[in-house]
Amino acid sequence: MAKDASARPVVSRRREVGDTSARSLLMTVLGEYVLPRGRPVWTSALVEALALFGVEEKSARQALARTAAEGWLASERVGRRVRWALTPPGRRLLTEGAQRIYDFGSGERVWDGSWLVVLVSVPESKRDLRHRVRTRLSWAGFGSPEPGVWITPRADREAEALGVLKELGLADGAMSFTARYGAVGSEAAMVARAWDLSEVEERYEAFIDEFTGLHPAGGDAVLHAQTRLVHEWRRFPFLDPRLPPKLLPAGWSGAGATELFHGKHAEWTTAAQRRWESLEG
């Protein structure tokens, strides 16, 4: 087995929220089918799964190589064949991601009106570091109404934010505090600057339109549908900060999309997993 990567695998917000690509689809397949089984998977199974989405074999193999280079996978040659296993850091991150994806939208917390505010300054010249801060804090549900200012109505996310900043070497110069919004300006305007909720709602409505009337017969069709369902849903933790109802527009469609996701996922899981097992064999 190739040596496991010790560094944290690369997480790209652009890949999560952007258009479908071979690498982003591969991550969905790894999280939905490979992670739960805890064993290596042959290249052929991954190539065949990606082919359902029109990904050519060459592109699928390139996606595997790049994902391994990013620290998610390690390869092992067995005769003339190659199989892939998740690295320990890759398994940990996919497990965290799976929990966030499947728990996302479930339950409604009572909000006491408090905001967690994190101040962290990154020079404009360090664009890669700025991108990593944005990726990781957005994943944690933070929004940025002004450069260097990150906010969330979830005060319990402070430990997660601290972990991110420590990992990126920014904790010593950062500050955090909790507060209620004051008399200057508008809380609604702050929310609008921190998050583009109109874009999020459009995404929810597109999700509802795509999957409401979908009823795959089985086999490749259900494997395609389940993978597509999870792939589209996994974007929302990056997009939707899960604000309290008081801060959301009237008629927010996120609740309906959440119900649809969990219903379809439960409906299709058995058949999709059965089809995946046939690919592994």
Side-chain angles (χ1 to χ4, degrees):
M1 187 74 71
K3 185 178 179 180
D4 290 334
S6 59
R8 184 184 179 98
V10 176
V11 179
S12 170
R13 183 176 190 272
R14 180 174 60 184
R15 188 185 310 159
E16 293 292 341
V17 303
D19 294 334
T20 299
S21 68
R23 274 195 286 175
S24 64
L25 281 167
L26 175 60
M27 296 305 296
T28 299
V29 170
L30 292 174
E32 183 70 8
Y33 307 109
V34 178
L35 176 66
R37 286 167 171 76
R39 59 177 182 258
V41 58
W42 296 110
T43 301
S44 58
L46 296 168
V47 168
E48 191 168 346
L50 295 182
L52 296 177
F53 295 87
V55 177
E56 296 181 355
E57 182 175 350
K58 180 180 179 181
S59 297
R61 290 180 180 275
Q62 288 175 341
L64 276 166
R66 291 171 182 170
T67 303
E70 291 176 347
W72 296 89
L73 292 170
S75 63
E76 178 186 16
R77 183 168 291 278
V78 182
R80 300 180 65 181
R81 304 176 71 191
V82 174
R83 62 184 183 180
W84 302 84
L86 294 168
T87 63
R91 173 170 294 279
R92 185 180 69 251
L93 280 181
L94 278 179
T95 299
E96 292 172 2
Q99 182 176 358
R100 182 70 59 86
I101 290 166
Y102 300 127
D103 289 349
F104 185 72
S106 301
E108 189 171 298
R109 293 171 175 265
V110 176
W111 184 49
D112 66 0
S114 297
W115 289 91
L116 171 62
V117 182
V118 175
L119 307 180
V120 55
S121 179
V122 182
E124 179 66 34
S125 59
K126 296 184 177 181
R127 292 187 178 182
D128 181 64
L129 182 56
R130 289 168 67 93
H131 172 72
R132 292 171 69 191
V133 170
R134 179 170 294 277
T135 295
R136 301 287 301 283
L137 290 181
S138 294
W139 176 248
F142 285 79
S144 180
E146 300 290 344
V149 179
W150 292 88
I151 62 171
T152 176
R154 293 284 303 274
D156 60 345
R157 293 285 167 85
E158 187 172 30
E160 186 173 356
L162 178 59
V164 169
L165 297 176
K166 283 183 175 179
E167 190 171 318
L168 297 179
L170 297 169
D172 289 345
M175 294 177 281
S176 69
F177 53 90
T178 57
R180 292 178 178 272
Y181 197 87
V184 179
S186 161
E187 189 172 47
M190 179 185 71
V191 169
R193 289 201 301 270
W195 295 281
D196 186 352
L197 294 180
S198 61
E199 179 190 356
V200 177
E201 183 144 46
E202 287 176 5
R203 295 259 194 161
Y204 274 134
E205 291 171 356
F207 180 88
I208 292 169
D209 289 344
E210 178 173 358
F211 293 103
T212 294
L214 190 58
H215 302 286
D220 285 349
V222 74
L223 182 64
H224 181 278
Q226 182 80 320
T227 306
R228 178 73 178 171
L229 179 81
V230 175
H231 188 74
E232 292 302 313
W233 187 252
R234 63 178 258 218
R235 304 175 194 270
F236 287 110
F238 279 92
L239 294 166
D240 184 357
R242 290 290 294 163
L243 299 177
K246 174 185 175 182
L247 302 174
L248 293 172
W252 182 247
S253 56
T258 299
E259 183 178 356
L260 177 64
F261 169 75
H262 288 292
K264 292 294 187 182
H265 190 269
E267 178 184 343
W268 297 339
T269 288
T270 300
Q273 295 290 341
R274 186 184 303 121
R275 175 60 181 133
W276 173 258
E277 288 170 0
S278 72
L279 294 182
E280 281 191 311

